[in-house]
Amino acid sequence: MTTRLLRGRTLSFVSRPQARDDHASYIYEEDGALLIEDGKISAAGAYADIKRSASEGTEIIDHRPLLLMAGFIDPHIHFPQMQVTASYAANLLDWLNTYTFVEEQRFADADHCSRFAQLFFDELLRQGTTTAAAYCSVHKSSADAYFAEATRRNLLMIGGKVMMDRNAPEPLTDTAQSGYDDTKAVIESWHGKGRNHVAITPRFAITSTAAQLDAAGTLAREYPDLLIQTHLSENDAEIAYTLELYPDAKDYTDVYARHGLLSDKALLGHAIHLSDREMAVIAEAGAVAVHCPTSNLFLGSGLFDLKRIKQHGVRTAIATDIGGGSSYSLLRTLDEAYKIQQLRGHRLPPLENFWQATRGNAEALGLVERIGTLEAGSDADIIALDSSATPAMQIRRETISTLEEELFLLQTLGDDRTVRQVYVAGEAV
Ligand SMILES: [Zn+2]
């Protein structure tokens, strides 16, 4: 059994911060320590206390003055879109048809999938993201490659074979039956193996027939502990087309509800243009609105209405949405989320932002017992952040005196250079 002690400034959230200086929402130790045994955090607290309880000969790694936090979580990202990012498109549907549906066809090739699985996890870890919920491509081989690589690296990853049986190029479509069968095969092969979680993944209403959404709903009933991931109300033209395809639905949200896909397991990517009725039924179901700020700005989709979402009691998450998103970094993502709320006349405190990227996203995924905090018993997925990582940050850092100010500096000027060390299940990567 490997035992090691990480020393540093430790920060872990206990609840959603309610104000800029909500000190009850987190635990911070200026000279803190995490004891790691067998891939898990076995004790957390002040260094002096943890050191006393550690057995003789425990390896001590001193990360001071870095900030130790739970690894970032990205609950909406597309594994086959690394080469779609930074594509010049007018809007969502243009971007999908011109770039994305072309690129994703390359994932029919197993070697291509394997190569990109390695590149994908290399990049996530470089950015301090230790868990992600990813859409694979329509090909079963893409999900197999994704989970094989996640298993090899002992990562806690969520992923799903995309289901799409219309309104896409023929090589990129399955059928209601084959989408069901292939998803089931991916679940049987990978769910619960290593640290893997499989998600039921109908891309969105436009690319699924009613028969396919029914099949996805059947899977959700057969595997009630699985997450469901899809897209909802991202763009005006998308919403209009969806309602043309599903004329009986009350609204976009109702399309998923009537196929058994709206539950506390549902991760609804974007959720920008929602009526009060939709917000109420999403809150009632306990589904999660996943905000993807860099993507929403990049594609010109709209400004996420965090204030109304919270007023309705809808659960939230924050994600990159690569390749519609423009950065793999959760720090860059928090910065853009802050700016979107500025444009909406709503304040988003840095404490709440960092809660969302760690504990908040873990809660959204139903995994807070395992990831998202530094609490004893959690998996030891940990990052060490340097708020003086660049010359500009170093200069600004000189005038900072509070934790909230430091977090705001990290989200405003930080990026991959800020992430100095990453541990996955207690092992440095
Ligand atoms: Zn997406």
Side-chain angles (χ1 to χ4, degrees):
M1 190 159 90
T2 324
T3 305
R4 55 175 61 99
L5 186 155
L6 308 186
R7 186 178 188 179
R9 297 187 300 125
T10 55
L11 173 65
S12 182
F13 289 91
V14 294
S15 61
R16 184 174 203 143
Q18 299 300 318
R20 185 179 174 212
D21 57 352
D22 182 356
H23 301 304
S25 66
Y26 63 87
I27 296 169
Y28 172 72
E29 294 282 355
E30 183 70 28
D31 188 5
L34 306 169
L35 189 64
I36 298 175
E37 293 177 286
D38 215 16
K40 289 183 181 295
I41 298 171
S42 60
Y47 171 73
D49 298 337
I50 302 299
K51 173 79 173 71
R52 250 194 312 277
S53 68
S55 53
E56 192 85 15
T58 298
E59 178 192 12
I60 297 176
I61 303 168
D62 193 346
H63 282 299
R64 290 175 302 166
L66 302 183
L67 193 60
L68 298 177
M69 294 179 54
F72 291 133
I73 298 168
D74 187 350
H76 185 117
I77 185 167
H78 296 263
F79 158 53
Q81 293 181 14
M82 292 190 84
Q83 293 185 316
V84 177
T85 328
S87 291
Y88 189 78
N91 56 51
L92 169 68
L93 299 179
D94 176 40
W95 173 85
L96 274 172
N97 291 317
T98 311
Y99 304 102
T100 309
F101 287 166
V102 177
E103 175 61 24
E104 290 194 4
Q105 293 183 44
R106 306 205 311 148
F107 285 73
D109 176 61
D111 291 340
H112 185 78
C113 295
S114 300
R115 174 176 175 235
F116 273 85
Q118 293 178 42
L119 295 170
F120 186 72
F121 293 127
D122 281 348
E123 185 58 28
L124 292 191
L125 292 171
R126 232 169 51 70
Q127 304 279 355
T129 298
T130 49
T131 288
Y135 291 63
C136 299
S137 71
V138 73
H139 317 95
K140 180 177 172 294
S141 56
S142 71
D144 288 336
Y146 176 88
F147 284 119
E149 187 62 20
T151 308
R152 197 178 70 74
R153 299 181 188 221
N154 197 24
L155 293 163
L156 198 167
M157 289 290 163
I158 299 148
K161 182 212 101 75
V162 159
M163 303 169 78
M164 48 197 292
D165 66 348
R166 67 168 164 183
N167 290 323
E170 193 276 326
L172 216 53
T173 52
D174 53 12
T175 65
Q177 188 61 46
S178 74
Y180 172 89
D181 292 341
D182 284 350
T183 300
K184 202 156 189 162
V186 172
I187 295 168
E188 298 301 330
S189 299
W190 297 109
H191 188 66
K193 183 172 176 184
R195 304 173 71 201
N196 299 319
H197 291 251
V198 175
I200 299 161
T201 312
R203 182 176 213 119
F204 67 155
I206 289 177
T207 48
S208 285
T209 59
Q212 178 157 76
L213 292 186
D214 273 339
T218 302
L219 286 166
R221 274 196 307 283
E222 290 175 342
Y223 299 95
D225 59 331
L226 259 59
L227 289 161
I228 301 160
Q229 48 183 359
T230 192
H231 296 84
L232 173 71
S233 283
E234 178 174 0
N235 160 292
D236 291 335
E238 170 217 13
I239 296 167
Y241 188 26
T242 300
L243 296 180
E244 256 175 60
L245 293 171
Y246 289 93
D248 297 337
K250 291 192 191 90
D251 44 43
Y252 197 161
T253 300
D254 191 45
V255 174
Y256 296 133
R258 54 176 60 206
H259 291 283
L261 295 168
L262 195 69
S263 73
D264 62 354
K265 296 293 177 191
L267 304 171
L268 307 170
H270 305 296
I272 301 171
H273 311 282
L274 299 174
S275 67
D276 284 340
R277 194 207 82 85
E278 291 180 283
M279 287 197 187
V281 296
I282 291 168
E284 167 83 23
V288 177
V290 186
H291 181 28
C292 305
T294 72
S295 171
N296 298 162
L297 293 172
F298 181 78
L299 293 172
S301 301
L303 305 177
F304 187 76
D305 199 344
L306 180 62
K307 189 178 173 188
R308 259 179 77 234
I309 285 266
K310 282 167 66 176
Q311 280 167 350
H312 278 85
V314 175
R315 298 165 66 209
T316 59
I318 193 163
T320 66
D321 190 31
I322 288 291
S326 53
S327 174
Y328 292 85
S329 166
L330 258 299
L331 293 170
R332 303 301 333 116
T333 303
L334 299 182
D335 185 36
E336 300 301 290
Y338 172 80
K339 292 173 189 168
I340 285 177
Q341 295 317 308
Q342 287 292 92
L343 287 170
R344 279 209 166 271
H346 176 63
R347 304 310 308 279
L348 176 52
L351 279 175
E352 184 176 350
N353 240 347
F354 277 81
W355 164 84
Q356 185 72 82
T358 55
R359 185 187 181 107
N361 277 351
E363 287 178 358
L365 297 172
L367 291 169
V368 75
E369 305 299 322
R370 296 194 57 189
I371 55 171
T373 76
L374 300 178
E375 286 172 23
S378 280
D379 296 357
D381 292 349
I382 298 159
I383 54 176
L385 299 181
D386 181 0
S387 49
S388 302
T390 66
M393 291 178 80
Q394 209 168 352
I395 290 163
R396 180 63 178 90
R397 181 83 169 84
E398 286 177 11
T399 62
I400 275 173
S401 58
T402 68
L403 179 66
E404 298 96 281
E405 288 173 340
E406 183 182 356
L407 294 177
F408 200 50
L409 168 63
L410 281 166
Q411 80 172 46
T412 308
L413 294 183
D415 53 33
D416 54 317
R417 292 168 293 181
T418 312
V419 181
R420 282 294 165 90
Q421 185 63 265
V422 178
Y423 294 90
V424 170
E427 300 296 328
V429 295

